[in-house]
Amino acid sequence: DAGVIQSPRHEVTEMGQEVTLRCKPISGHDYLFWYRQTMMRGLELLIYFNNNVPIDDSGMPEDRFSAKMPNASFSTLKIQPSEPRDSAVYFCASQGPGAIRTDTQYFGPGTRLTVL
Amino acid sequence: QKEVEQDPGPLSVPEGAIVSLNCTYSNSAFQYFMWYRQYSRKGPELLMYTYSSGNKEDGRFTAQVDKSSKYISLFIRDSQPSDSATYLCAMKGNAGNMLTFGGGTRLMVKP
């Protein structure tokens, strides 16, 4: 398996623009997590899905952030409008059957977002 | 106060040294404890996984959990330059799949 795939790997945008981050989980996994990592706050869980349904979005910082999972193989995290304080590395992780441990989260390579 | 505390480092050691990385936590409901390794500009990858208290060994790596003290450790024997990375502890309770991460300790092993 190719692992968790994220795109784009790098995104530079201007304040006020819409940003869409994409994630393809490992095939067969039924959990998908979105994290944000910054030097100041470390790795923070934003939202997670089970079987495409959002289970906990308490980590989503503001209404400017939204996430969807229209099917088992694709998820998006959207920021609209973006602000400089949203600059961070955003990770997607998946978990589920077929892995050595079904409760292990496998992380993608991340999207490095810079908002000018 | 954060639920999981971890010294950010950086921790610099010579090749071959024994490394000790630690986390403290406050939530007594945590039962599962993990160590993730994160290389620069990469995603975290699971390194060690332990349940409840005790030790677990895997090659040069040993994970220890002391639930009475709310303290977990990762030991690396015969450290190598390739061990240079950020090490994040993570933990969760019996219910749910949400992990709580420490802030990570940056380790540098010098040849």
Side-chain angles (χ1 to χ4, degrees), chain B residues 1-94:
Chain B
Q1 185 182 1
K2 294 181 180 179
E3 270 192 301
V4 180
E5 298 278 358
Q6 190 174 5
D7 188 328
L11 178 62
S12 182
V13 301
E15 183 176 355
I18 296 174
V19 175
S20 173
L21 304 168
N22 312 292
C23 286
T24 59
Y25 63 95
S26 57
N27 189 343
S28 58
F30 289 145
Q31 297 286 339
Y32 298 86
F33 304 91
M34 287 140 270
W35 286 94
Y36 279 79
R37 178 174 61 195
Q38 184 177 20
Y39 290 116
S40 180
R41 297 186 177 265
K42 301 287 187 182
E45 57 178 344
L46 183 67
L47 189 60
M48 297 287 283
Y49 186 113
T50 53
Y51 170 69
S52 194
S53 286
N55 293 0
K56 182 175 182 179
E57 187 173 321
D58 185 359
R60 296 185 295 111
F61 299 89
T62 299
Q64 282 187 354
V65 175
D66 182 349
K67 290 185 65 183
S68 62
S69 300
K70 295 188 177 67
Y71 188 87
I72 70 171
S73 301
L74 177 70
F75 297 96
I76 308 174
R77 291 183 300 279
D78 187 25
S79 57
Q80 303 294 310
S82 59
D83 296 327
S84 297
T86 296
Y87 290 80
L88 301 117
C89 62
M91 45 200 79
K92 67 174 184 173
N94 278 325

Side-chain angles (χ1 to χ4, degrees), chain A residues 31 37 95 101 103 112, chain B residues 36 38 41 44 49 97-98:
Chain A
Y31 283 88
Q37 187 175 42
Q95 170 185 319
R101 296 195 62 92
D103 60 351
R112 185 171 297 270
Chain B
Y36 279 79
Q38 184 177 20
R41 297 186 177 265
Y49 186 113
N97 290 281
M98 294 171 61

Side-chain angles (χ1 to χ4, degrees), chain A:
Chain A
D1 200 314
V4 176
I5 299 172
Q6 291 187 247
S7 65
R9 294 293 311 277
H10 302 273
E11 177 81 31
V12 180
T13 190
E14 292 188 347
M15 182 174 63
Q17 297 297 307
E18 178 180 295
V19 175
T20 299
L21 311 180
R22 298 172 175 80
C23 175
K24 177 178 168 54
I26 293 172
S27 177
H29 282 189
D30 53 359
Y31 283 88
L32 185 138
F33 305 81
W34 280 103
Y35 290 89
R36 178 173 68 177
Q37 187 175 42
T38 61
M39 290 291 291
M40 290 295 294
R41 301 175 68 90
L43 197 60
E44 302 174 282
L45 178 65
L46 300 176
I47 185 172
Y48 80 94
F49 296 82
N50 179 219
N51 291 322
N52 313 336
V53 176
I55 302 301
D56 191 316
D57 65 354
S58 59
M60 296 285 262
E62 301 170 31
D63 291 345
R64 298 184 296 106
F65 286 70
S66 62
K68 294 182 179 179
M69 192 164 185
N71 58 62
S73 59
F74 183 67
S75 177
T76 59
L77 178 68
K78 186 175 292 186
I79 308 172
Q80 166 64 15
S82 58
E83 296 182 3
R85 58 194 169 117
D86 301 330
S87 297
V89 182
Y90 291 81
F91 288 103
C92 174
S94 71
Q95 170 185 319
I100 295 173
R101 296 195 62 92
T102 59
D103 60 351
T104 295
Q105 295 185 22
Y106 293 85
F107 284 77
T111 295
R112 185 171 297 270
L113 173 66
T114 302
V115 183
L116 303 174

